[in-house]
Amino acid sequence: MGATYALGRSLITPLARLIYRPHVEGKANVPKTGPVIFASNHLSFIDSIAIPVAAPRPVHFLAKSSYFEKPFSRWFFTSIGAIAVDRGAGQAALDALDQQKRLLDEGRTVALYPEGTRSTDGRLYKGRTGVAFLALQTGAPVVPVGLIGTDLVMPVGASMPSLKHRITVKFGEPLDLSDHGAAASGKARRLATDEIMAAIHALSGQELAGAYNEVPAQGTIERIKQVLPHERV
């Protein structure tokens, strides 16, 4: 994706900055070299454009493989640093984490949404532990990101973005989560995740939902699984 990404970034980044006039805070908090995990709140489809546009170094994130089926959309998503992956729970989620770990092992940056999916009501939901697992496993610092206004620019369900609103992107201070323990510890993953979400909340100022952002369960077994305590990755 090297040449396509370089060309696309050179074209899309200045255009997006011209149109949306993003207000960016905390760029100096982003390490200039080495692996970095951006952990952000998730309000809109364009969050995955806002972060690469605002970040001071190239960013990679995973996107649904269906986005890469047509030539133009494949070029666009590759240009903004997206990597195709089969999204989902179970093995698909573990495969996605493995792919992100490989990027971090190469000293790259990755962007993830601990909430798992977009917030449709503007509230900040509980974080899933996959981001913390990656950080504890690789030792990569986590830079919390607070996005403000992306839901106004392109609300959930909108087919085209609005040009009336301005986006704010806030990069927080890097978090060293190693004090929580090893990646194999469920308690360490949960505590590290809660620290990440607290840092995101301090940047975004969103109302806290106090629950996971999950699609309605289909069937009795899925409803039981959502009610019973279990780790969300």
Side-chain angles (χ1 to χ4, degrees):
M1 65 184 300
T4 300
Y5 179 60
L7 176 61
R9 183 177 171 86
S10 68
L11 295 174
I12 293 173
T13 297
L15 180 61
R17 287 175 177 168
L18 177 65
I19 294 174
Y20 296 117
R21 300 165 293 115
H23 177 69
V24 183
E25 299 179 13
K27 273 189 177 183
N29 289 326
V30 180
K32 295 181 180 179
T33 59
V36 173
I37 300 172
F38 290 111
S40 174
N41 60 327
H42 196 11
L43 295 168
S44 169
F45 169 79
I46 64 167
D47 294 345
S48 296
I49 300 174
I51 295 174
V53 165
R57 51 183 293 193
V59 181
H60 303 282
F61 63 94
L62 303 184
K64 291 188 294 186
S65 57
S66 59
Y67 290 163
F68 294 78
E69 293 174 355
K70 296 181 179 180
F72 177 78
S73 61
R74 181 170 60 249
W75 175 85
F76 176 80
F77 281 99
T78 302
S79 296
I80 59 175
I83 297 174
V85 66
D86 292 325
R87 301 286 294 276
Q91 188 59 46
L94 296 177
D95 290 344
L97 288 176
D98 285 341
Q99 192 161 358
Q100 289 160 328
K101 181 180 181 299
R102 286 195 292 272
L103 291 169
L104 293 170
D105 288 341
E106 295 172 1
R108 301 175 185 268
T109 65
V110 298
L112 297 94
Y113 304 112
E115 294 170 277
T117 189
R118 283 175 280 177
S119 171
T120 58
D121 59 13
R123 295 185 297 169
L124 184 68
Y125 285 80
K126 290 183 65 175
R128 298 167 185 267
T129 59
V131 179
F133 176 78
L134 276 178
L136 295 174
Q137 188 182 45
T138 64
V142 174
V143 173
V145 181
L147 297 174
I148 301 172
T150 55
D151 54 333
L152 299 177
V153 171
M154 193 163 187
V156 175
S159 58
M160 293 294 292
S162 166
L163 305 181
K164 298 179 181 179
H165 303 282
R166 188 175 184 181
I167 294 171
T168 296
V169 184
K170 298 181 180 180
F171 296 102
E173 295 184 3
L175 303 176
D176 179 0
L177 304 172
S178 58
D179 289 345
H180 291 295
S185 166
K187 181 179 179 181
R189 295 193 296 271
R190 185 69 257 165
L191 291 174
T193 300
D194 290 344
E195 182 178 345
I196 293 169
M197 297 310 296
I200 294 174
H201 177 244
L203 295 169
S204 71
Q206 293 165 268
E207 177 186 347
L208 296 174
Y212 291 102
N213 193 2
E214 297 180 308
V215 298
Q218 301 295 320
T220 302
I221 294 178
E222 288 301 317
R223 285 195 290 271
I224 293 174
K225 285 175 63 178
Q226 285 192 1
V227 172
L228 293 176
H230 68 281
E231 182 175 5
R232 276 80 164 179
V233 178

